[in-house]
Amino acid sequence: MENKISKIGVFTSGGDAPGMNAAIRAVVRACTYYDKTSLGIMRGYEGMIEGDVIKLDARSVGNILQRGGTVLKSARSKEFRTPEGRKKAYDNIKKQGIDALIAIGGDGTFTGLHKFYEEFGVPSICIPGTIDNDLAGTDYTIGYDTATNTAVEAIDRIRDTALSHNRLFFIEVMGRHSGYIAINSGIAGGAAAVIIPEEETSFDDLWELLEEGGKTNKKSNLVVVAEGSKIGDAHALAKLVKERSSYFDIKVTVLGHLQRGGAPTYFDRVLASHMGVGAVEGLLQGKSDVMVGVRDRKIVYNKFDDIMSKIHEIDAESLRIAKILSI
Ligand SMILES: Nc1ncnc2c1ncn2[C@@H]1O[C@H](COP(=O)(O)OP(=O)(O)O)[C@@H](O)[C@H]1O
Ligand SMILES: O=P(O)(O)OC[C@H]1O[C@](O)(COP(=O)(O)O)[C@@H](O)[C@@H]1O
Ligand SMILES: [Mg+2]
């Protein structure tokens, strides 16, 4: 592939996600394959602003494919949100001779990269890496599958103790504005109800469901609540139930950051590998200001505006199935 690009800077940004290392490895090895130099920018936009850059080659990314977290580390950078911060970042990447960027991160990372591209015209591609799966333009984001499997494993363990004591558990899973982890860990974990921000619901709807379960002799209940729930988090919902009745013996578990760690599943490793190579090939084909995605098992590139103007909707079928099975 002939192209003017010769030095590609890669970084991870925003919330880390299992599989980011597999994506870094794929980017670096694809660079080597196409005879391009790759540099790793540490701590996302923070490292870009501070000029914290390391040399990478095919061997330096050995033995990271299977590891959680990110060897390039990640950060949420306040300074990059300012024009002054972005100018500093630009000066640094020029100094390093970086002539294209690959960011591995979520919607915030992509928004920052888009601004940077508009201001300085550096060819850039984003790889979706976030456990939230909240980006349109790809069926899955890197880390979502691993995080959901982790949540399911936790729910299974909670089920054992919930049933032993006939308890009602509110289990909060991650997803700042997204119910993906909740709906699918809820289906896979056999939840009595799933509360997600994408679906209109009320506390009364939930109450009705719990009462129905009581009438049909349900011994224990697991309610999976997405962090972004619009009717209250797991603690708030537990409090509301307690206020309404003393019938239920209630416990709350917030799964939190354990969902972000751990070895990536085979699925996330393969997804990250495809996307990493796809990002390098996209840049070399002259694509920019796009996110690489996988849709129906094919690599696709979508412009920033197309991705950000859409939400990654949860399919109606999943919502329907979750309801039928919670009976
Ligand atoms: N509107 C913005 N303008 C400039 N930079 C932004 C903007 N939004 C996000 N960023 C940068 O991207 C980083 C990562 O975004 P964040 O929302 O924290 O995580 P994620 O990329 O996982 O969604 C932020 O810390 C910030 O540096
Ligand atoms: O680790 P932090 O900074 O507390 O952020 C927590 C947030 O990060 C996430 O795990 C992932 O979101 P992002 O990928 O957008 O950063 C959210 O589910 C959660 O709300
Ligand atoms: Mg995000």
Side-chain angles (χ1 to χ4, degrees):
M1 276 183 212
E2 263 319 299
N3 195 283
K4 281 198 208 94
I5 291 169
S6 68
K7 211 181 244 188
I8 297 178
V10 58
F11 61 97
T12 48
S13 161
D16 63 307
M20 278 184 163
N21 282 327
I24 295 166
R25 169 182 178 269
V27 166
V28 172
R29 293 207 168 161
C31 281
T32 306
Y33 181 82
Y34 289 112
D35 211 14
K36 306 291 172 190
T37 304
S38 53
L39 291 181
I41 302 167
M42 300 301 294
R43 294 174 292 118
Y45 295 123
E46 289 279 298
M48 212 186 278
I49 289 169
E50 291 168 21
D52 191 358
V53 169
I54 57 167
K55 271 209 92 175
L56 294 172
D57 58 37
R59 295 289 75 77
S60 62
V61 291
N63 200 29
I64 65 168
L65 169 75
Q66 77 284 15
R67 295 209 209 130
T70 156
V71 293
L72 294 179
K73 300 198 182 276
S74 193
R76 302 194 196 274
S77 168
K78 280 207 182 98
E79 205 180 345
F80 195 78
R81 291 177 183 271
T82 66
E84 298 76 31
R86 293 195 292 276
K87 176 70 174 54
K88 269 196 220 168
Y90 178 69
D91 290 344
N92 268 321
I93 66 159
K94 279 287 106 181
K95 205 154 79 188
Q96 296 284 347
I98 292 173
D99 45 27
L101 291 169
I102 294 178
I104 306 165
D107 54 341
T109 299
F110 199 11
T111 305
L113 197 64
H114 172 69
K115 278 203 176 151
F116 196 69
Y117 173 72
E118 288 207 312
E119 288 167 351
F120 303 105
V122 181
S124 312
I125 290 197
C126 189
I127 297 177
T130 167
I131 65 165
D132 285 1
N133 204 29
D134 58 351
L135 281 157
T138 188
D139 292 336
Y140 299 103
T141 59
I142 297 166
Y144 161 68
D145 184 68
T146 307
T148 307
N149 274 302
T150 304
V152 171
E153 196 187 318
I155 292 168
D156 286 349
R157 286 167 193 260
I158 292 168
R159 171 182 290 284
D160 290 345
T161 177
L163 194 60
S164 304
H165 289 268
N166 290 347
R167 277 175 170 160
L168 163 60
F169 265 83
F170 284 89
I171 305 164
E172 188 172 301
V173 298
M174 272 187 165
R176 209 191 317 221
H177 310 289
S178 166
Y180 263 97
I181 298 177
I183 190 73
N184 285 319
S185 66
I187 291 174
V194 181
I195 311 290
I196 58 170
E198 292 89 339
E199 193 185 29
E200 283 270 322
T201 186
S202 66
F203 175 69
D204 286 332
D205 292 338
L206 173 64
W207 178 256
E208 219 173 275
L209 213 76
L210 294 175
E211 264 196 323
E212 263 323 295
K215 281 184 208 150
T216 56
N217 207 24
K218 211 170 202 177
K219 295 291 180 217
S220 68
N221 282 287
L222 307 179
V223 178
V224 175
V225 185
E227 184 188 3
S229 152
K230 291 191 176 130
I231 60 164
D233 63 14
H235 283 287
L237 290 172
K239 190 162 171 269
L240 287 173
V241 174
K242 268 184 201 154
E243 280 165 8
R244 198 168 279 194
S245 161
S246 57
Y247 173 79
F248 294 103
D249 181 5
I250 304 168
K251 296 283 169 186
V252 176
T253 303
V254 178
L255 297 184
H257 286 81
L258 70 83
Q259 294 161 95
R260 287 245 294 266
T265 57
Y266 107 84
F267 183 88
D268 275 328
R269 297 180 203 194
V270 172
L271 183 70
S273 300
H274 279 263
M275 286 179 170
V277 173
V280 173
E281 291 184 340
L283 276 178
L284 300 185
Q285 288 158 11
K287 292 186 173 56
S288 191
D289 196 30
V290 296
M291 186 188 87
V292 61
V294 172
R295 304 217 60 170
D296 298 327
R297 295 190 290 159
K298 288 209 170 56
I299 283 283
V300 291
Y301 302 91
N302 280 286
K303 279 277 180 196
F304 174 83
D305 291 331
D306 292 338
I307 305 268
M308 291 301 161
S309 59
K310 295 184 190 117
I311 49 168
H312 194 198
E313 280 178 15
I314 288 178
D315 61 302
E317 193 56 8
S318 295
L319 300 174
R320 198 176 73 83
I321 295 293
K323 286 225 164 60
I324 291 176
L325 299 179
S326 68
I327 223 157

PDB file of all heavy atoms in Angstrom, residues 53-74:
ATOM      1  N   VAL A  53       6.380   9.628  24.908  1.00  0.00           N
ATOM      2  CA  VAL A  53       6.238   8.747  23.748  1.00  0.00           C
ATOM      3  C   VAL A  53       7.306   7.657  23.783  1.00  0.00           C
ATOM      4  O   VAL A  53       8.448   7.915  24.166  1.00  0.00           O
ATOM      5  CB  VAL A  53       6.387   9.604  22.451  1.00  0.00           C
ATOM      6  CG1 VAL A  53       6.510   8.737  21.217  1.00  0.00           C
ATOM      7  CG2 VAL A  53       5.191  10.543  22.314  1.00  0.00           C
ATOM      8  N   ILE A  54       6.920   6.425  23.396  1.00  0.00           N
ATOM      9  CA  ILE A  54       7.909   5.336  23.371  1.00  0.00           C
ATOM     10  C   ILE A  54       7.942   4.677  21.989  1.00  0.00           C
ATOM     11  O   ILE A  54       6.942   4.693  21.266  1.00  0.00           O
ATOM     12  CB  ILE A  54       7.614   4.251  24.443  1.00  0.00           C
ATOM     13  CG1 ILE A  54       6.203   3.661  24.269  1.00  0.00           C
ATOM     14  CG2 ILE A  54       7.792   4.809  25.859  1.00  0.00           C
ATOM     15  CD1 ILE A  54       5.958   2.402  25.072  1.00  0.00           C
ATOM     16  N   LYS A  55       9.099   4.091  21.669  1.00  0.00           N
ATOM     17  CA  LYS A  55       9.223   3.377  20.388  1.00  0.00           C
ATOM     18  C   LYS A  55       8.608   1.995  20.537  1.00  0.00           C
ATOM     19  O   LYS A  55       8.753   1.352  21.573  1.00  0.00           O
ATOM     20  CB  LYS A  55      10.704   3.245  20.007  1.00  0.00           C
ATOM     21  CG  LYS A  55      11.206   4.420  19.212  1.00  0.00           C
ATOM     22  CD  LYS A  55      12.344   4.012  18.284  1.00  0.00           C
ATOM     23  CE  LYS A  55      11.780   3.622  16.926  1.00  0.00           C
ATOM     24  NZ  LYS A  55      12.721   3.320  15.896  1.00  0.00           N
ATOM     25  N   LEU A  56       7.915   1.544  19.541  1.00  0.00           N
ATOM     26  CA  LEU A  56       7.330   0.200  19.582  1.00  0.00           C
ATOM     27  C   LEU A  56       7.755  -0.561  18.335  1.00  0.00           C
ATOM     28  O   LEU A  56       7.942   0.036  17.272  1.00  0.00           O
ATOM     29  CB  LEU A  56       5.798   0.286  19.613  1.00  0.00           C
ATOM     30  CG  LEU A  56       5.147   0.916  20.852  1.00  0.00           C
ATOM     31  CD1 LEU A  56       3.654   1.108  20.629  1.00  0.00           C
ATOM     32  CD2 LEU A  56       5.368   0.046  22.093  1.00  0.00           C
ATOM     33  N   ASP A  57       7.913  -1.871  18.507  1.00  0.00           N
ATOM     34  CA  ASP A  57       8.133  -2.694  17.313  1.00  0.00           C
ATOM     35  C   ASP A  57       7.472  -4.052  17.542  1.00  0.00           C
ATOM     36  O   ASP A  57       6.915  -4.299  18.614  1.00  0.00           O
ATOM     37  CB  ASP A  57       9.624  -2.834  16.989  1.00  0.00           C
ATOM     38  CG  ASP A  57      10.413  -3.437  18.137  1.00  0.00           C
ATOM     39  OD1 ASP A  57       9.873  -4.338  18.821  1.00  0.00           O
ATOM     40  OD2 ASP A  57      11.565  -3.019  18.364  1.00  0.00           O
ATOM     41  N   ALA A  58       7.538  -4.882  16.538  1.00  0.00           N
ATOM     42  CA  ALA A  58       6.802  -6.162  16.590  1.00  0.00           C
ATOM     43  C   ALA A  58       7.137  -6.953  17.855  1.00  0.00           C
ATOM     44  O   ALA A  58       6.261  -7.585  18.461  1.00  0.00           O
ATOM     45  CB  ALA A  58       7.123  -6.979  15.349  1.00  0.00           C
ATOM     46  N   ARG A  59       8.401  -6.910  18.296  1.00  0.00           N
ATOM     47  CA  ARG A  59       8.807  -7.691  19.470  1.00  0.00           C
ATOM     48  C   ARG A  59       8.346  -7.043  20.791  1.00  0.00           C
ATOM     49  O   ARG A  59       8.013  -7.724  21.742  1.00  0.00           O
ATOM     50  CB  ARG A  59      10.339  -7.880  19.523  1.00  0.00           C
ATOM     51  CG  ARG A  59      10.911  -8.728  18.374  1.00  0.00           C
ATOM     52  CD  ARG A  59      10.574 -10.210  18.462  1.00  0.00           C
ATOM     53  NE  ARG A  59       9.205 -10.558  18.102  1.00  0.00           N
ATOM     54  CZ  ARG A  59       8.741 -10.630  16.856  1.00  0.00           C
ATOM     55  NH1 ARG A  59       9.497 -10.391  15.834  1.00  0.00           N
ATOM     56  NH2 ARG A  59       7.493 -10.951  16.625  1.00  0.00           N
ATOM     57  N   SER A  60       8.307  -5.710  20.825  1.00  0.00           N
ATOM     58  CA  SER A  60       7.948  -5.063  22.101  1.00  0.00           C
ATOM     59  C   SER A  60       6.471  -5.251  22.453  1.00  0.00           C
ATOM     60  O   SER A  60       6.059  -4.973  23.570  1.00  0.00           O
ATOM     61  CB  SER A  60       8.324  -3.578  22.080  1.00  0.00           C
ATOM     62  OG  SER A  60       7.618  -2.908  21.072  1.00  0.00           O
ATOM     63  N   VAL A  61       5.665  -5.716  21.499  1.00  0.00           N
ATOM     64  CA  VAL A  61       4.261  -5.968  21.832  1.00  0.00           C
ATOM     65  C   VAL A  61       3.986  -7.476  21.984  1.00  0.00           C
ATOM     66  O   VAL A  61       2.840  -7.909  21.964  1.00  0.00           O
ATOM     67  CB  VAL A  61       3.293  -5.327  20.798  1.00  0.00           C
ATOM     68  CG1 VAL A  61       3.342  -3.807  20.908  1.00  0.00           C
ATOM     69  CG2 VAL A  61       3.607  -5.782  19.370  1.00  0.00           C
ATOM     70  N   GLY A  62       5.068  -8.253  22.167  1.00  0.00           N
ATOM     71  CA  GLY A  62       4.908  -9.683  22.421  1.00  0.00           C
ATOM     72  C   GLY A  62       4.351  -9.909  23.829  1.00  0.00           C
ATOM     73  O   GLY A  62       4.580  -9.095  24.735  1.00  0.00           O
ATOM     74  N   ASN A  63       3.576 -10.973  23.998  1.00  0.00           N
ATOM     75  CA  ASN A  63       3.076 -11.375  25.309  1.00  0.00           C
ATOM     76  C   ASN A  63       2.144 -10.356  25.982  1.00  0.00           C
ATOM     77  O   ASN A  63       2.072 -10.277  27.208  1.00  0.00           O
ATOM     78  CB  ASN A  63       4.266 -11.691  26.239  1.00  0.00           C
ATOM     79  CG  ASN A  63       3.859 -12.556  27.407  1.00  0.00           C
ATOM     80  OD1 ASN A  63       2.915 -13.350  27.306  1.00  0.00           O
ATOM     81  ND2 ASN A  63       4.519 -12.385  28.545  1.00  0.00           N
ATOM     82  N   ILE A  64       1.456  -9.531  25.194  1.00  0.00           N
ATOM     83  CA  ILE A  64       0.462  -8.618  25.790  1.00  0.00           C
ATOM     84  C   ILE A  64      -0.955  -8.938  25.316  1.00  0.00           C
ATOM     85  O   ILE A  64      -1.930  -8.476  25.893  1.00  0.00           O
ATOM     86  CB  ILE A  64       0.765  -7.123  25.507  1.00  0.00           C
ATOM     87  CG1 ILE A  64       0.658  -6.791  24.009  1.00  0.00           C
ATOM     88  CG2 ILE A  64       2.137  -6.730  26.048  1.00  0.00           C
ATOM     89  CD1 ILE A  64       0.670  -5.281  23.710  1.00  0.00           C
ATOM     90  N   LEU A  65      -1.039  -9.731  24.252  1.00  0.00           N
ATOM     91  CA  LEU A  65      -2.331 -10.073  23.640  1.00  0.00           C
ATOM     92  C   LEU A  65      -3.378 -10.534  24.657  1.00  0.00           C
ATOM     93  O   LEU A  65      -4.550 -10.190  24.589  1.00  0.00           O
ATOM     94  CB  LEU A  65      -2.057 -11.188  22.622  1.00  0.00           C
ATOM     95  CG  LEU A  65      -3.209 -11.938  22.003  1.00  0.00           C
ATOM     96  CD1 LEU A  65      -3.912 -11.089  20.965  1.00  0.00           C
ATOM     97  CD2 LEU A  65      -2.704 -13.225  21.340  1.00  0.00           C
ATOM     98  N   GLN A  66      -2.930 -11.319  25.631  1.00  0.00           N
ATOM     99  CA  GLN A  66      -3.848 -11.977  26.565  1.00  0.00           C
ATOM    100  C   GLN A  66      -4.062 -11.193  27.857  1.00  0.00           C
ATOM    101  O   GLN A  66      -4.800 -11.627  28.731  1.00  0.00           O
ATOM    102  CB  GLN A  66      -3.316 -13.385  26.878  1.00  0.00           C
ATOM    103  CG  GLN A  66      -2.148 -13.463  27.863  1.00  0.00           C
ATOM    104  CD  GLN A  66      -0.790 -13.054  27.286  1.00  0.00           C
ATOM    105  OE1 GLN A  66      -0.715 -12.457  26.236  1.00  0.00           O
ATOM    106  NE2 GLN A  66       0.271 -13.378  28.004  1.00  0.00           N
ATOM    107  N   ARG A  67      -3.443 -10.027  27.965  1.00  0.00           N
ATOM    108  CA  ARG A  67      -3.516  -9.289  29.230  1.00  0.00           C
ATOM    109  C   ARG A  67      -4.585  -8.200  29.228  1.00  0.00           C
ATOM    110  O   ARG A  67      -4.769  -7.502  28.241  1.00  0.00           O
ATOM    111  CB  ARG A  67      -2.182  -8.600  29.521  1.00  0.00           C
ATOM    112  CG  ARG A  67      -1.063  -9.578  29.745  1.00  0.00           C
ATOM    113  CD  ARG A  67      -0.030  -8.975  30.684  1.00  0.00           C
ATOM    114  NE  ARG A  67       1.258  -9.541  30.365  1.00  0.00           N
ATOM    115  CZ  ARG A  67       2.347  -8.831  30.155  1.00  0.00           C
ATOM    116  NH1 ARG A  67       2.317  -7.517  30.274  1.00  0.00           N
ATOM    117  NH2 ARG A  67       3.471  -9.428  29.870  1.00  0.00           N
ATOM    118  N   GLY A  68      -5.240  -8.033  30.395  1.00  0.00           N
ATOM    119  CA  GLY A  68      -6.210  -6.949  30.563  1.00  0.00           C
ATOM    120  C   GLY A  68      -5.486  -5.622  30.718  1.00  0.00           C
ATOM    121  O   GLY A  68      -4.256  -5.564  30.718  1.00  0.00           O
ATOM    122  N   GLY A  69      -6.238  -4.552  30.856  1.00  0.00           N
ATOM    123  CA  GLY A  69      -5.645  -3.219  31.008  1.00  0.00           C
ATOM    124  C   GLY A  69      -5.017  -2.752  29.705  1.00  0.00           C
ATOM    125  O   GLY A  69      -5.339  -3.260  28.621  1.00  0.00           O
ATOM    126  N   THR A  70      -4.101  -1.803  29.809  1.00  0.00           N
ATOM    127  CA  THR A  70      -3.397  -1.328  28.616  1.00  0.00           C
ATOM    128  C   THR A  70      -1.952  -0.984  28.965  1.00  0.00           C
ATOM    129  O   THR A  70      -1.707  -0.211  29.895  1.00  0.00           O
ATOM    130  CB  THR A  70      -4.084  -0.095  27.958  1.00  0.00           C
ATOM    131  OG1 THR A  70      -3.108   0.629  27.189  1.00  0.00           O
ATOM    132  CG2 THR A  70      -4.711   0.856  28.958  1.00  0.00           C
ATOM    133  N   VAL A  71      -1.025  -1.548  28.222  1.00  0.00           N
ATOM    134  CA  VAL A  71       0.399  -1.301  28.498  1.00  0.00           C
ATOM    135  C   VAL A  71       0.764   0.152  28.214  1.00  0.00           C
ATOM    136  O   VAL A  71       1.753   0.658  28.747  1.00  0.00           O
ATOM    137  CB  VAL A  71       1.347  -2.239  27.705  1.00  0.00           C
ATOM    138  CG1 VAL A  71       1.198  -3.675  28.166  1.00  0.00           C
ATOM    139  CG2 VAL A  71       1.122  -2.117  26.199  1.00  0.00           C
ATOM    140  N   LEU A  72      -0.042   0.836  27.407  1.00  0.00           N
ATOM    141  CA  LEU A  72       0.242   2.258  27.135  1.00  0.00           C
ATOM    142  C   LEU A  72      -0.403   3.155  28.192  1.00  0.00           C
ATOM    143  O   LEU A  72      -0.272   4.376  28.134  1.00  0.00           O
ATOM    144  CB  LEU A  72      -0.255   2.649  25.734  1.00  0.00           C
ATOM    145  CG  LEU A  72       0.452   1.977  24.545  1.00  0.00           C
ATOM    146  CD1 LEU A  72      -0.165   2.432  23.228  1.00  0.00           C
ATOM    147  CD2 LEU A  72       1.955   2.299  24.560  1.00  0.00           C
ATOM    148  N   LYS A  73      -1.106   2.550  29.122  1.00  0.00           N
ATOM    149  CA  LYS A  73      -1.854   3.256  30.168  1.00  0.00           C
ATOM    150  C   LYS A  73      -2.890   4.203  29.557  1.00  0.00           C
ATOM    151  O   LYS A  73      -2.854   4.495  28.363  1.00  0.00           O
ATOM    152  CB  LYS A  73      -0.923   4.021  31.111  1.00  0.00           C
ATOM    153  CG  LYS A  73       0.061   3.091  31.803  1.00  0.00           C
ATOM    154  CD  LYS A  73       0.671   3.728  33.014  1.00  0.00           C
ATOM    155  CE  LYS A  73       1.681   2.813  33.651  1.00  0.00           C
ATOM    156  NZ  LYS A  73       1.067   1.857  34.545  1.00  0.00           N
ATOM    157  N   SER A  74      -3.831   4.613  30.412  1.00  0.00           N
ATOM    158  CA  SER A  74      -4.912   5.465  29.905  1.00  0.00           C
ATOM    159  C   SER A  74      -5.135   6.633  30.856  1.00  0.00           C
ATOM    160  O   SER A  74      -4.652   6.620  31.989  1.00  0.00           O
ATOM    161  CB  SER A  74      -6.190   4.653  29.757  1.00  0.00           C
ATOM    162  OG  SER A  74      -7.131   5.380  29.004  1.00  0.00           O
TER     163      SER A  74
END
